[in-house]
Amino acid sequence: MKIIRIAGALSAGVLILTAAACSEKKPDVPLETASQSAAVTYDLSQAVNAFNEQTITAEYSDGETIYASASTHLFPSVSAGNKEQQSSAETPRATEGTTVKADASTAAPTKETVRVTVSEGETLTQIFKKLEEKGVASFDELMTTAQTYDYSYYPLVAKIPSNSNRCFRLEGYLFPDTYEFYTNQKPQDAIGKFLRNGKAKITDSMLQKASSLGYSFDEVLTVASIIEKEGAKSSEVAKIAAVIYNRLEAGMKLQMDSTIYYIERNVKPYLTGDINRYNGYYNTYKCAALPAGPISNPGLKTINAALNPADVPYLYFCHDENANYYYAETYEEHQENLKLAGIE
């Protein structure tokens, strides 16, 4: 049987992955006393699924790291409150009627800042690697914090479905933009910058539009994240969105190569144990509908495309090496387009 390839035409072939049931692993990080070092060795594979079934509550702090319990297991860097976290260096506040004078001899040293640009379509692991390279926070701390920190005070994050088949909880929610960070910043504060920006950019009307389409906003973000990886031209994104929705409504598998690349390049390298356990939930040649979560972090262009798909009947598309796109309503037409695109 010939596999229908509707996207990722630049690849030489299609990878076929083996679906595996998601084996839920519980974190097993030893409890540290307040006198011990805050350094902890993480199993990122365990952290991946930690957010699905565990409620985080603060237990104690060693002055640098808040430790919190999740059932009988402990994770560092978890919020002790339900308000948005700012930089750890708080500005002293004077009570009313009190004058506060700066003392140069006791003033805290100025922290070094770095500018980081995150492009549309970058993945969570790509972003965290970039932050580590810039000296903002370590990759391991960012990965663990993204899975275990309580960001539920952000409305969009609070609505992320609890799904054991979902790999990285905040994938899709790290809003692309240019940011300024402190070096050696607390990982929860660094991630919070992305979430605050997303909160400011995603309007109520966008949320209402998603509802009117019959999809949750998380599902719209998932569609947008696929478009981000499949659409090289702004003129094409609304038509690609239409192809995705048309296939979903027709009960067809999406069969997007970008979802395979996501698993192979941005998930498996960061797992231990059964590294294939998410294949069947993200590889859209295998899963019945949308993947279990976004596969990249989309920008406003593709989010708006996902909210406003073109009114076209297409079920297939492909593109050539010059980013010329070809659309079809039938498989036979698609086969002809593949030849035009130089794919077959």
Side-chain angles (χ1 to χ4, degrees), residues 223-245:
V223 172
S225 74
I226 296 173
I227 299 170
E228 200 72 69
K229 291 299 190 181
E230 300 285 350
K233 290 183 177 179
S234 297
S235 59
E236 306 301 323
V237 291
K239 285 182 278 189
I240 295 172
V243 170
I244 294 173
Y245 288 124

Side-chain angles (χ1 to χ4, degrees), residues 73-147:
H73 304 283
L74 298 179
F75 291 92
S77 300
V78 182
S79 172
N82 61 353
K83 62 182 180 179
E84 299 181 17
Q85 303 296 312
Q86 305 296 329
S87 168
S88 58
E90 295 289 340
T91 302
R93 295 185 179 182
T95 56
E96 186 174 356
T98 302
T99 301
V100 178
K101 296 182 179 180
D103 184 347
S105 64
T106 59
T110 303
K111 288 189 176 182
E112 181 183 354
T113 61
V114 292
R115 181 164 291 187
V116 179
T117 296
V118 172
S119 301
E120 291 85 352
E122 289 190 22
T123 64
L124 178 142
T125 53
Q126 289 173 328
I127 293 169
F128 287 171
K129 281 184 177 179
K130 186 176 289 188
L131 293 183
E132 182 177 64
E133 290 168 0
K134 292 285 188 176
V136 177
S138 77
F139 179 84
D140 286 5
E141 288 179 326
L142 290 163
M143 289 290 287
T144 301
T145 301
Q147 295 300 105

Side-chain angles (χ1 to χ4, degrees), residues 24-272:
E24 187 94 1
K25 292 188 176 182
K26 302 302 180 187
D28 190 18
V29 181
L31 172 63
E32 294 195 3
T33 65
S35 63
Q36 288 178 311
S37 169
V40 180
T41 300
Y42 306 110
D43 181 346
L44 297 183
S45 175
Q46 294 174 336
V48 163
N49 289 318
F51 73 93
N52 285 310
E53 293 184 347
Q54 296 167 0
T55 301
I56 308 299
T57 55
E59 293 292 319
Y60 67 88
S61 171
D62 63 3
E64 291 291 332
T65 303
I66 298 174
Y67 288 81
S69 65
S71 299
T72 59
H73 304 283
L74 298 179
F75 291 92
S77 300
V78 182
S79 172
N82 61 353
K83 62 182 180 179
E84 299 181 17
Q85 303 296 312
Q86 305 296 329
S87 168
S88 58
E90 295 289 340
T91 302
R93 295 185 179 182
T95 56
E96 186 174 356
T98 302
T99 301
V100 178
K101 296 182 179 180
D103 184 347
S105 64
T106 59
T110 303
K111 288 189 176 182
E112 181 183 354
T113 61
V114 292
R115 181 164 291 187
V116 179
T117 296
V118 172
S119 301
E120 291 85 352
E122 289 190 22
T123 64
L124 178 142
T125 53
Q126 289 173 328
I127 293 169
F128 287 171
K129 281 184 177 179
K130 186 176 289 188
L131 293 183
E132 182 177 64
E133 290 168 0
K134 292 285 188 176
V136 177
S138 77
F139 179 84
D140 286 5
E141 288 179 326
L142 290 163
M143 289 290 287
T144 301
T145 301
Q147 295 300 105
T148 61
Y149 196 93
D150 182 10
Y151 287 111
S152 61
Y153 43 84
Y154 292 101
L156 288 181
V157 176
K159 293 179 181 179
I160 295 175
S162 178
N163 181 357
S164 62
N165 301 330
R166 188 183 184 114
C167 186
F168 302 136
R169 176 176 63 149
L170 296 183
E171 189 77 85
Y173 291 81
L174 305 181
F175 199 86
D177 209 335
T178 296
Y179 296 87
E180 192 168 273
F181 297 95
Y182 289 114
T183 56
N184 300 313
Q185 188 165 13
K186 287 186 177 180
Q188 61 265 36
D189 293 341
I191 294 171
K193 279 183 173 284
F194 294 101
L195 302 180
R196 284 193 293 278
N197 194 14
K199 178 182 177 183
K201 297 289 176 59
I202 304 303
T203 65
D204 288 342
S205 63
M206 295 168 76
L207 299 177
Q208 293 166 5
K209 179 66 175 180
S211 181
S212 70
L213 291 173
Y215 291 89
S216 69
F217 197 76
D218 185 70
E219 290 172 322
V220 167
L221 278 183
T222 301
V223 172
S225 74
I226 296 173
I227 299 170
E228 200 72 69
K229 291 299 190 181
E230 300 285 350
K233 290 183 177 179
S234 297
S235 59
E236 306 301 323
V237 291
K239 285 182 278 189
I240 295 172
V243 170
I244 294 173
Y245 288 124
N246 290 344
R247 291 179 74 89
L248 289 172
E249 291 172 10
M252 301 171 68
K253 291 180 179 178
L254 294 185
Q255 296 183 315
M256 300 283 177
D257 286 2
S258 57
T259 61
I260 300 177
Y261 301 149
Y262 175 71
I263 281 292
E264 291 297 314
R265 300 170 183 174
N266 295 280
V267 174
K268 285 186 179 182
Y270 307 100
L271 299 180
T272 59

Side-chain angles (χ1 to χ4, degrees), residues 269-285:
Y270 307 100
L271 299 180
T272 59
D274 179 11
I275 64 172
N276 295 311
R277 63 186 179 272
Y278 293 105
N279 290 358
Y281 307 119
Y282 282 87
N283 178 352
T284 54
Y285 283 87

